[in-house]
Amino acid sequence: MKKVATHVHTAPLSGCAHVPAAEIPALYKAKGYDAVVITNHFMKYVFEEYYGIAGDRGRVEHFLDGYRSAKQAGEALGIRVWLGAECNPERYNRPGHTYPVREFLLYGTDEAFFLEQPRLWELSQEELFALCERKGVLMLQSHPFRLPTEPGDPAFMHGIEAINRNPRHSSRNELAEKWAEENGFITVAGDDFHEYGDEGRAATLMPDDCETYSDFVAALRERRTETVAR
């Protein structure tokens, strides 16, 4: 099966990331991955505090820069680079806390998805899920049991990140895996990559006949993927 990195942040697009987007494909190719999904933060706080760019179009174009840079580098190396996001509906942030309490990984997005809906953070979980359903996008809650994250409504998500292997956080994956089984969720495993050395700690495996992003999303929907961690 083919290895996919499903949770990857790039500098400077995610303020907490420290590796330039153009360097990421080589890091994952060296670890034997076949594809990388760039999932930079799409949230009001990050746009305001880190991007400092006025206007919806300008913010989205800046958000897309990391993906475009990684994709160009990936094409030169023969590794697929796909566009996703880690989206935080603003209404779930607790007063006095900048850390988002519900974040959702989006798979199957393209550039038009973000350009057409430049303020995704204004949507509720239910509204974001309805949008994803209309657009054929999968919506999975990332690290749902990492404090102070709170599990969202299972009726309005396709699944969860059951395994998050970021070494600087306790994601309590055992609780996530149990919750996934109880709800029949689609699951992914990801590195939650931010720094050198984060790569290669987890992967989502897709069948060998998958070639495109659409193939991968279809395999997730059809439960033909596997999650692995070292």
Side-chain angles (χ1 to χ4, degrees), residues 208-226:
D208 288 330
D209 62 354
C210 291
E211 296 291 340
T212 66
Y213 197 11
S214 295
D215 291 341
F216 174 59
V217 172
L220 285 170
R221 287 187 184 277
E222 296 161 6
R223 311 304 205 275
R224 294 188 295 116
T225 57
E226 300 177 13

Side-chain angles (χ1 to χ4, degrees), residues 3 5 7-8 19 23-24 26-31 33 36 165 167-168 190-202 230:
K3 294 172 69 174
H7 192 164
V8 177
V19 181
E23 296 184 21
I24 286 171
L27 296 176
Y28 275 96
K29 186 176 178 64
K31 293 289 185 177
Y33 284 71
V36 175
R165 290 284 289 140
R168 293 168 298 281
D191 294 325
D192 199 353
F193 176 93
H194 288 79
E195 301 180 7
Y196 296 106
D198 289 351
E199 70 275 9
R201 299 173 61 86
R230 66 169 175 84

Side-chain angles (χ1 to χ4, degrees), residues 55-216:
D56 291 343
R57 180 67 184 238
R59 286 191 292 262
V60 174
E61 289 290 344
H62 191 63
F63 166 80
L64 293 172
D65 281 349
Y67 156 71
R68 291 167 175 165
S69 179
K71 186 174 186 293
Q72 183 177 17
E75 288 172 349
L77 294 171
I79 182 171
R80 303 163 182 84
V81 176
W82 297 327
L83 175 63
E86 189 171 22
C87 182
N88 169 227
E90 183 73 4
R91 69 190 63 195
Y92 305 115
N93 284 1
R94 296 186 184 129
H97 291 266
T98 56
Y99 194 96
V101 295
R102 293 188 198 177
E103 290 182 287
F104 298 96
L105 293 163
L106 305 184
Y107 300 113
T109 52
D110 57 14
E111 295 191 13
F113 179 87
F114 300 101
L115 290 166
E116 292 168 3
Q117 185 64 267
R119 299 189 181 189
L120 289 171
W121 61 79
E122 294 181 349
L123 303 180
S124 67
Q125 181 186 342
E126 293 85 349
E127 291 167 337
L128 180 60
F129 181 71
L131 173 66
C132 289
E133 285 280 83
R134 292 196 303 272
K135 297 293 188 179
V137 171
L138 288 178
M139 172 177 158
L140 283 69
Q141 186 170 11
S142 49
H143 45 72
F145 290 92
R146 176 195 294 176
L147 298 175
T149 301
E150 63 183 19
D153 187 334
F156 298 101
M157 64 178 82
H158 296 102
I160 64 170
E161 183 182 45
I163 300 173
N164 180 296
R165 290 284 289 140
N166 183 286
R168 293 168 298 281
H169 294 281
S170 174
S171 294
R172 303 197 295 173
N173 293 323
E174 67 284 356
L175 296 178
E177 291 182 285
K178 182 174 184 292
W179 198 46
E181 184 175 351
E182 291 171 350
N183 287 278
F185 283 146
I186 295 169
T187 60
V188 294
D191 294 325
D192 199 353
F193 176 93
H194 288 79
E195 301 180 7
Y196 296 106
D198 289 351
E199 70 275 9
R201 299 173 61 86
T204 302
L205 306 182
M206 65 181 180
D208 288 330
D209 62 354
C210 291
E211 296 291 340
T212 66
Y213 197 11
S214 295
D215 291 341
F216 174 59

Side-chain angles (χ1 to χ4, degrees), residues 34-53:
D34 299 278
V36 175
V37 187
I38 302 299
T39 56
N40 281 320
H41 292 288
F42 201 98
M43 59 183 291
K44 183 179 180 182
Y45 173 76
V46 170
F47 278 115
E48 290 181 346
E49 296 296 321
Y50 293 106
Y51 294 180
I53 296 175

